């Protein structure tokens, strides 16, 4: 380094450190405000929560201008979006509360999510014998297309038979055990673990 280039290097480095510090300060302030917003949201202070969610999103989005880490950038953007969406949900809840007496729920769920959760409570209709036979045939056809992996094919056929038997037993009114069916596929890359 010559003496003339050194001050530029130092000032550029200081500038980079200053930008990093600014990004950290903005991010930390945004997180602090978001935590306050969550506390207000849980306490039922929805108007304060809306303002704080919006302010937290502003701080975090400003921090993205100075943040260099792509993982942190992605996380900050996702959180900002989450805060803005929650603020919008609260605004809609407050508007509905004034018009129709609705409460701005603390869960952040939309009408679509509520409808989906109602659908989860309904148990599906049991499969008929034809549907079971068709499903078994489709599974065997798919497995026959795969090359090798004979032990996996055998386990899948056993699992399919056990599920068919369980469905038949439930249809007849017998009790069945809800088995835990977890599988872990291990091996080197390229051996078909995700097939």
């Amino acid at each position: 380094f010559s003496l003339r280039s050194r001050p530029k290097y130092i000032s550029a480095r200081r500038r980079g450190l200053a930008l990093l510090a600014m990004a950290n300060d903005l991010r930390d302030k945004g997180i602090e405000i978001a935590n306050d917003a969550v506390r207000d949201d849980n306490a039922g202070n929805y108007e304060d929560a809306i303002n704080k969610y919006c302010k937290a999103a502003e701080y975090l989005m400003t921090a993205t201008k100075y943040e260099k880490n792509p993982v942190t950038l992605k996380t900050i953007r996702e959180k900002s979006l989450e805060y803005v969406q929650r603020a919008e949900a609260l605004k809609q809840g407050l508007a509905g509360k004034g018009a129709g007496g609705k409460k701005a729920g603390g869960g952040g769920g939309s009408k679509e999510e509520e409808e989906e959760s109602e659908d989860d409570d309904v148990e599906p209709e049991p499969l008929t014998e034809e549907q079971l036979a068709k499903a078994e045939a489709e599974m065997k056809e798919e497995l026959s297309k795969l090359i090798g992996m004979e032990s996996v094919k055998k386990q899948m056929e056993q699992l399919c038979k056990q599920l068919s038997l369980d469905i038949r037993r439930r249809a007849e009114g017998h009790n069945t055990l809800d088995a835990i069916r977890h599988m872990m596929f291990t091996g080197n890359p390229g051996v078909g673990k995700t097939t």
Side-chain angles (χ1 to χ4, degrees), residues 30-158:
I31 291 169
E32 181 183 327
I33 294 170
N35 289 335
D36 289 343
V38 170
R39 279 192 286 279
D40 285 342
D41 193 353
N42 290 335
N45 303 326
Y46 300 121
E47 291 174 1
D48 291 339
I50 290 169
N51 293 332
K52 289 179 182 176
Y53 279 128
C54 291
K55 193 160 202 72
E58 287 175 18
Y59 270 93
L60 292 174
M61 288 309 292
T62 305
T64 61
K65 294 178 183 176
Y66 307 106
E67 183 62 53
K68 300 294 182 207
N69 185 335
V71 175
T72 306
L73 269 174
K74 182 178 181 236
T75 305
I76 290 173
R77 286 187 181 120
E78 288 171 354
K79 281 298 186 183
S80 296
L81 180 62
E82 181 182 325
Y83 296 146
V84 169
Q85 288 173 340
R86 181 60 184 151
E88 288 298 319
L90 288 175
K91 284 180 187 177
Q92 290 175 356
L94 286 176
K97 185 177 181 181
K102 273 178 90 174
K103 182 181 175 191
S110 65
K111 289 180 183 177
E112 293 172 359
E113 290 174 358
E114 290 173 13
E115 290 172 4
E116 287 178 12
S117 67
E118 290 174 6
D119 293 341
D120 292 341
D121 297 339
V122 178
E123 192 163 320
E125 290 289 320
L127 297 175
T128 64
E129 288 293 326
E130 296 91 32
Q131 291 171 326
L132 282 173
K134 184 179 176 185
E136 286 182 41
E138 286 176 7
M139 189 262 321
K140 286 182 181 180
E141 183 181 329
E142 287 292 320
L143 288 176
S144 67
K145 293 178 184 176
L146 299 176
I147 298 171
M149 300 188 289
E150 296 304 320
S151 63
V152 173
K153 290 179 186 178
K154 210 176 256 188
Q155 285 181 346
M156 291 303 295
E157 287 175 5
Q158 288 174 348

Side-chain angles (χ1 to χ4, degrees), residues 175-187:
N175 290 334
T176 60
L177 295 175
D178 290 331
I180 299 172
R181 296 178 179 94
H182 295 284
M183 292 186 179
M184 184 181 345
F185 298 98
T186 61

